[in-house]
Amino acid sequence: MYPAGLATTLLALLARNVTSSLHCVCNDIDYVTNGICDGEGVIWKIYCEGFDDYWVHETCETLAPPSVAALALARLVPRSWSRGLSPPVEWETPRPAGGVQRPAGGVPRPAGGSPGPAAEEWCGGALAAVRGLQGQQARELFYTDFPCRIATDCIDSCRVHGLNDVEWNLETLPNDHLRGSILSPLMHAVRRITRAIIVRRWCYYRRQIKFSVQHLNKTGFLERYSRYRRESMQLLSLGVTHLSQLFIPLAFEHMGDHMSDELLPGWTENVKRVRDMLHTRLRGWVQDTQFVIDQTVNYKIEEDKNSSGKYILRRPLLSDALLVYHGEYLSFHDDFSELCENHHPEASQMFGLADALYNFYHRYWYDRALDYRSLDFNQKYKYYTKAVDEEWQLEDRSNATLYVDTGCVQLLVNALDHPTCPLEDLPPERVEQRDQCRLQLWDDMVQRAPHIPVTSYLAYTQRANVNLCLLAWMTVNSHSICQDVPFSMTQSVHDARCYFDSPDDQSCLESNDTDAICSVFRALLLLKCRDFSSHKPLDVCAVKLYSDGSYSTVFNVTWGKGIYKQYGKPTQRALKYKYGLNSATLKYKDFKIDNLKPLEISFITVNILFRLLTAGVYMYLPQLRNLPGKIFLSFQITGIIQILCSEVVYRMAGVPDLSTAVLIDSAFTLLSCFWLNSFCYQMFACIRYLRLPNDLLRAEASQIFRRQVLYALIAWSTVCAACIAIEKTSKHYLMYSRILFMLGITLSISFNFVCLGLLGYMYLCTRNSMKQLKIFSGTKFASKKELLFMSVKAVILSGVGIIIRIGFHQAQGIAQFVYYVHIATMVQGPVLFVCFVCNGTTLPLFKNMILSWWDPDIVCHGRELCSAAERNLAKTLNEQTLAAEYSL
């Protein structure tokens, strides 16, 4: 028979069952003591000998002996034949003719066992065909068609069906027969996938590269290149499914077989959660890789005009470069073991096993199936091509800021300060709160709202101006609110480009509204926040897995071979940002500093007491119940109600909700400004018409006061109704209502300045007129004490204090100072009492009132020579005289 005929016969035999044929050949070669022929030598080198050892890199704590992860991974390593030793025992599910896979529960048999008569004839034919191939014919066959057929065959034959319906529980896991019938075919399938991936590289090296060098400028090259990677991707996707199915029974055999019946159900649920976490990460990786492979045909190859015989490869942004962000390592063990060790001591081993399986998938499936490092065009074809990648035209966002809801930011900080174990069941309200926070943050991103004017301290606690990269880091870190969102870099970059490049068209988003913020922030953090990247090497160890199921001792390789973890540990600057944010803004609930809480309560109490005392004095003394006194009393009562609503009811009882409390607080601030408007206008009117407040009759003063109250309440109700209507009808009510309140307060305070300015102008005009008439007085305008009191009164009545307080509220990023100013405003009560009660007019009256309470018979100043009847008669005559003058 000619060599070509032998090759045809061998390929036909291999087509029936590649794995069984190769096992037969390897078993025969294994017992040959003399020399072997060319065909046997090539097959031994490519398939039978395989790799004698495998390396797994993980944290030293995970791999420290006795390592559950190392023991479990050693069982996944393909067995190799060793000349002169017994052949490996690999359990295999027989596959009938026609390529239809039998159920996984079929009877397993050793690969080296005694076949039946038909199988012996078929095996003998394969051996004869292999021995008949000589020299170049054998090398050409086994380095090209043979490796490609192994991988293609494994795509169909390595599937293990019927396992998705298996429910691991207290009855199924301890059942050795049931568990073994599932675990054995899964183990065998995983070993075959590993061997097929390793052997498949010969297919690419011997056939695809030769084609690519000769036809690099042909479009067919990209199609064949994509086809090769697509077939490899099918193996990777199949492997992810098998690893997820293998995780629970494998974990049970190595760490859960000693569990009691009481602890086993809880342990099983925890393993399922870790399995789901691992599956989520691997599926995101597979999804990204599949997308990148599909986009390979869209790469552009063009001749380099500056270099003869070389080409330029133009790749889109969504290319292989994004796949490196998945990282070589998982950090489940580092991130969650310490959190879970108190209630779940076995969690550390579960997370370590998940990390080790992830690393195994990366090193022996992903890297070898796609040959990622060597398959990079920029490295593989650096003598023929120059790769030019599309760049995302967005500058570094490390110093950008975003105005967001502080409730969400507080939730993120709490998640960092008090992270929860992922094995614990979160309360439904906590899960709902996280979903609402993701929606709120995305809404804040879409709105692109600028700095919202803050009219109250409560409003300051509702919105925060946060560093964008810091917020992205807090949102997508492993302890935060995006744990359940699949890690897909291609989708993240696509969503981020959609958001930044097409802000008015959000229909291009691939993520839903709940996951969009996680997707965009993930791409933003990894690609555009340079201050938050990390390449700090950590302590990583390696363990050597042998094909006989054993493994070597663990040793450190962090500095020896330059292998280290890069899974996003924050840099010192990132930590500085976080700690600065915590200490200055978010460390305390609702933006309150814990150690200043007693001081705040004390100041609030003193403020309320002195405001009540001032109001009581104005209500009790008849001399102060004139028109300005009534207006000032309204101002005091409004301030007391505002403090009770915002500082007592909301902070102590938590009602109403924050947005309503902000609306009430801002409304009372505006009403206080309107009372100041009335007070300042009455001061101007008194000077303008040369009538002192005490000259007005009680009926006339009451009539004017009612009119002033009506004017103030009409304006105030109009603004409040507009704000409430905006809140109920507009999605962006917060910004519009704050602007409306800010406008009302600004106009009101401006009116006060106009009135006080007119008073000053009239005083200067009068003074100049007196100088022209040469009228001089030896008395001073006022003493230093009176000038001080007048200055403080002017500041209060003008509303400058309100402007200063609101101005500090605008100062985002310095929450401590805002909080200090907030506490300082609580001394307004004592200041009002001192300035409006402790003066030369009111203080003597208040003093006499106190003395009369103590001793009713005491004679006060000004009343020494008059009896009560005489004083009453004089008062009546005075009122009648004033009434007559008024009628004239």
Side-chain angles (χ1 to χ4, degrees):
M1 181 177 292
Y2 293 101
L6 288 174
T8 304
T9 302
L10 180 59
L11 292 178
L13 293 171
L14 292 177
R16 294 177 56 189
N17 195 319
V18 176
T19 304
S20 298
S21 302
L22 293 176
H23 280 199
C24 171
V25 174
C26 291
N27 285 340
D28 184 79
I29 300 175
D30 191 48
Y31 286 102
V32 174
T33 56
N34 299 324
I36 57 177
C37 63
D38 292 341
E40 292 174 324
V42 176
I43 273 197
W44 180 267
K45 179 179 180 182
I46 294 177
Y47 188 83
C48 304
E49 184 179 30
F51 290 86
D52 291 333
D53 57 86
Y54 297 79
W55 293 94
V56 174
H57 299 90
E58 257 305 322
T59 57
C60 299
E61 183 179 357
T62 300
L63 297 180
S67 173
V68 170
L71 283 172
L73 290 181
R75 298 179 62 182
L76 304 181
V77 172
R79 305 296 185 251
S80 298
W81 283 260
S82 299
R83 300 289 299 277
L85 300 179
S86 59
V89 177
E90 291 206 16
W91 295 94
E92 177 184 8
T93 302
R95 187 164 61 97
V100 179
Q101 179 70 38
R102 290 182 180 176
V107 180
R109 67 178 178 85
S114 301
E120 288 183 357
E121 180 181 357
W122 157 62
C123 182
L127 288 172
V130 168
R131 290 167 181 166
L133 294 175
Q134 301 295 328
Q136 184 64 28
Q137 180 73 17
R139 288 187 289 272
E140 187 68 24
L141 175 65
F142 292 126
Y143 282 128
T144 54
D145 292 334
F146 164 70
C148 298
R149 287 179 179 270
I150 292 178
T152 305
D153 175 75
C154 187
I155 292 174
D156 296 328
S157 62
C158 292
R159 300 182 183 276
V160 182
H161 300 280
L163 300 183
N164 293 330
D165 298 332
V166 176
E167 178 64 27
W168 296 111
N169 51 37
L170 186 61
E171 289 75 24
T172 56
L173 264 180
N175 190 322
D176 295 339
H177 176 72
L178 177 61
R179 190 179 68 254
S181 64
I182 294 174
L183 192 58
S184 295
L186 280 175
M187 287 282 195
H188 178 53
V190 168
R191 294 171 187 149
R192 288 188 59 191
I193 291 174
T194 304
R195 190 182 295 276
I197 288 174
I198 294 174
V199 174
R200 182 173 171 77
R201 290 186 304 165
W202 294 100
C203 173
Y204 180 75
Y205 286 142
R206 295 290 179 170
R207 180 192 293 178
Q208 300 290 99
I209 293 183
K210 182 178 181 181
F211 173 84
S212 65
V213 173
Q214 297 175 352
H215 306 86
L216 192 59
N217 61 337
K218 307 294 184 182
T219 57
F221 164 69
L222 291 176
E223 295 177 358
R224 288 189 74 170
Y225 179 74
S226 177
R227 189 184 312 118
Y228 165 80
R229 303 183 79 190
R230 191 176 294 111
E231 292 175 355
S232 299
M233 195 63 236
Q234 294 179 8
L235 286 174
L236 294 178
S237 180
L238 180 62
V240 169
T241 302
H242 287 351
L243 281 181
S244 300
Q245 295 170 334
L246 189 67
F247 189 81
I248 296 178
L250 189 65
F252 177 81
E253 290 200 349
H254 288 279
M255 67 182 76
D257 55 350
H258 61 280
M259 284 285 172
S260 63
D261 293 343
E262 293 78 12
L263 299 177
L264 186 58
W267 181 90
T268 305
E269 291 300 320
N270 292 337
V271 175
K272 288 180 180 179
R273 291 180 180 177
V274 178
R275 184 269 315 270
D276 294 340
M277 293 168 60
L278 175 64
H279 185 75
T280 300
R281 285 301 300 263
L282 292 178
R283 291 309 305 178
W285 201 350
V286 170
Q287 175 185 334
D288 283 353
T289 308
Q290 185 65 56
F291 179 87
V292 170
I293 291 174
D294 293 340
Q295 293 296 316
T296 303
V297 294
N298 298 325
Y299 293 178
K300 303 297 182 183
I301 298 180
E302 58 188 41
E303 294 187 8
D304 190 352
K305 298 180 180 179
N306 299 325
S307 300
S308 177
K310 294 188 177 182
Y311 302 92
I312 296 177
L313 175 70
R314 300 192 181 277
R315 299 188 297 187
L317 178 62
L318 302 180
S319 63
D320 306 64
L322 294 179
L323 299 178
V324 299
Y325 291 101
H326 283 276
E328 187 175 353
Y329 303 94
L330 271 186
S331 58
F332 287 170
H333 184 275
D334 292 348
D335 291 338
F336 305 122
S337 294
E338 186 176 353
L339 292 174
C340 303
E341 63 180 358
N342 292 332
H343 297 89
H344 308 281
E346 72 284 353
S348 177
Q349 295 179 341
M350 298 180 190
F351 293 130
L353 178 59
D355 289 354
L357 288 176
Y358 182 92
N359 182 262
F360 178 84
Y361 175 88
H362 182 279
R363 292 180 60 84
Y364 295 105
W365 286 2
Y366 180 80
D367 270 359
R368 296 177 188 274
L370 300 181
D371 204 6
Y372 178 73
R373 286 186 292 269
S374 61
L375 217 56
D376 189 341
F377 279 90
N378 196 29
Q379 296 293 329
K380 191 67 179 178
Y381 309 117
K382 59 183 178 181
Y383 298 109
Y384 307 99
T385 65
K386 179 176 65 174
V388 178
D389 294 334
E390 177 189 357
E391 293 185 2
W392 185 13
Q393 298 300 324
L394 185 68
E395 68 278 5
D396 180 15
R397 308 297 292 175
S398 297
N399 295 320
T401 56
L402 183 67
Y403 210 54
V404 295
D405 178 77
T406 55
C408 290
V409 180
Q410 188 70 49
L411 181 65
L412 298 178
V413 173
N414 291 339
L416 288 173
D417 290 341
H418 306 286
T420 58
C421 173
L423 304 182
E424 301 291 340
D425 288 325
L426 292 177
E429 57 272 12
R430 181 78 63 83
V431 177
E432 182 181 0
Q433 187 180 17
R434 289 187 173 187
D435 292 340
Q436 291 177 352
C437 182
R438 294 197 329 221
L439 287 172
Q440 179 64 51
L441 287 176
W442 178 242
D443 189 56
D444 292 335
M445 286 280 290
V446 172
Q447 289 180 27
R448 285 179 164 84
H451 183 84
I452 298 176
V454 177
T455 55
S456 70
Y457 176 74
L458 294 180
Y460 180 85
T461 67
Q462 193 174 22
R463 307 291 289 183
N465 208 12
V466 182
N467 179 278
L468 184 60
C469 290
L470 176 60
L471 183 64
W473 177 63
M474 290 193 299
T475 303
V476 300
N477 76 84
S478 58
H479 300 300
S480 193
I481 60 176
C482 291
Q483 296 177 9
D484 58 326
V485 179
F487 189 95
S488 175
M489 276 304 299
T490 57
Q491 182 172 327
S492 295
V493 174
H494 180 276
D495 291 342
R497 293 186 70 184
C498 173
Y499 168 77
F500 285 104
D501 298 342
S502 305
D504 299 328
D505 181 19
Q506 300 295 321
S507 60
C508 57
L509 285 176
E510 294 182 354
S511 300
N512 55 37
D513 288 345
T514 307
D515 299 342
I517 191 68
C518 301
S519 181
V520 172
F521 271 172
R522 184 176 290 130
L524 180 70
L525 180 67
L526 295 178
L527 272 67
K528 295 299 176 180
C529 295
R530 296 183 178 89
D531 291 338
F532 288 82
S533 62
S534 174
H535 299 284
K536 180 182 178 181
L538 300 179
D539 292 333
V540 177
C541 290
V543 62
K544 188 176 183 180
L545 309 176
Y546 298 97
S547 58
D548 60 357
S550 61
Y551 66 94
S552 66
T553 56
V554 178
F555 57 93
N556 192 294
V557 295
T558 301
W559 302 107
K561 294 187 178 181
I563 304 173
Y564 50 83
K565 285 197 171 187
Q566 300 182 20
Y567 51 75
K569 287 292 183 181
T571 61
Q572 291 300 319
R573 183 168 181 178
L575 290 174
K576 183 179 179 181
Y577 272 123
K578 178 209 167 187
Y579 295 142
L581 188 69
N582 274 344
S583 61
T585 307
L586 303 169
K587 191 68 175 179
Y588 42 91
K589 184 177 176 59
D590 289 338
F591 287 69
K592 294 197 303 181
I593 302 176
D594 293 335
N595 57 359
L596 293 182
K597 188 175 181 180
L599 180 63
E600 182 187 18
I601 294 175
S602 301
F603 271 59
I604 292 174
T605 304
V606 171
N607 188 14
I608 294 177
L609 289 177
F610 273 94
R611 280 181 176 269
L612 289 174
L613 183 59
T614 305
V617 171
Y618 268 75
M619 292 179 64
Y620 184 79
L621 292 178
Q623 295 86 347
L624 300 181
R625 290 200 295 268
N626 52 18
L627 180 60
K630 292 180 178 180
I631 296 175
F632 182 74
L633 183 61
S634 301
F635 171 78
Q636 284 288 75
I637 294 175
T638 300
I640 293 172
I641 296 175
Q642 180 181 5
I643 295 172
L644 290 176
C645 290
S646 62
E647 301 296 339
V648 178
V649 176
Y650 172 73
R651 292 192 181 278
M652 300 301 178
V655 292
D657 59 278
L658 183 57
S659 59
T660 305
V662 169
L663 186 65
I664 295 174
D665 190 64
S666 300
F668 281 119
T669 301
L670 180 63
L671 184 57
S672 298
C673 292
F674 284 160
W675 295 134
L676 295 180
N677 293 159
S678 299
F679 196 97
C680 291
Y681 175 75
Q682 289 303 320
M683 290 175 60
F684 166 73
C686 289
I687 302 299
R688 175 69 177 80
Y689 297 105
L690 300 178
R691 297 184 63 187
L692 296 178
N694 291 329
D695 294 341
L696 298 176
L697 294 176
R698 181 176 299 177
E700 182 183 7
S702 299
Q703 182 181 5
I704 297 175
F705 174 71
R706 286 193 295 268
R707 187 165 59 245
Q708 294 294 330
V709 170
L710 180 63
Y711 293 157
L713 291 181
I714 288 176
W716 180 69
S717 300
T718 302
V719 176
C720 291
C723 291
I724 294 174
I726 291 174
E727 180 177 349
K728 299 300 181 182
T729 57
S730 175
K731 188 177 182 180
H732 311 291
Y733 73 91
L734 182 64
M735 180 175 182
Y736 297 150
S737 62
R738 294 285 78 72
I739 291 177
L740 190 57
F741 272 123
M742 182 65 76
L743 182 61
I745 293 173
T746 303
L747 292 177
S748 176
I749 294 177
S750 299
F751 180 81
N752 294 338
F753 276 108
V754 171
C755 291
L756 294 177
L758 291 175
L759 286 175
Y761 174 74
M762 288 188 293
Y763 169 76
L764 293 177
C765 289
T766 303
R767 185 177 180 181
N768 290 334
S769 300
M770 293 178 66
K771 286 184 178 181
Q772 291 177 1
L773 296 174
K774 296 183 179 180
I775 299 176
F776 299 96
S777 175
T779 59
K780 294 184 179 181
F781 174 72
S783 65
K784 292 182 179 181
K785 180 180 178 181
E786 292 173 337
L787 287 175
L788 177 62
F789 275 33
M790 290 176 61
S791 300
V792 176
K793 287 182 178 180
V795 170
I796 295 174
L797 297 178
S798 65
V800 173
I802 297 176
I803 290 294
I804 293 175
R805 175 166 55 88
I806 293 177
F808 268 92
H809 292 167
Q810 311 303 324
Q812 298 292 333
I814 51 173
Q816 281 185 336
F817 296 101
V818 176
Y819 189 67
Y820 297 152
V821 172
H822 167 68
I823 295 178
T825 57
M826 294 296 105
V827 302
Q828 191 177 26
V831 171
L832 290 173
F833 180 82
V834 171
C835 293
F836 289 88
V837 176
C838 299
N839 52 39
T841 303
T842 307
L843 185 59
L845 297 176
F846 182 60
K847 177 181 177 181
N848 294 336
M849 179 187 68
I850 299 297
L851 292 176
S852 63
W853 286 354
W854 184 264
D855 186 2
D857 298 329
I858 193 172
V859 178
C860 300
H861 178 72
R863 301 173 60 184
E864 297 86 349
L865 303 177
C866 298
S867 64
E870 291 174 338
R871 290 196 301 271
N872 291 335
L873 178 61
K875 181 179 179 181
T876 303
L877 294 175
N878 185 34
E879 291 181 352
Q880 291 177 354
T881 303
L882 291 176
E885 292 178 357
Y886 180 72
S887 63
L888 294 176

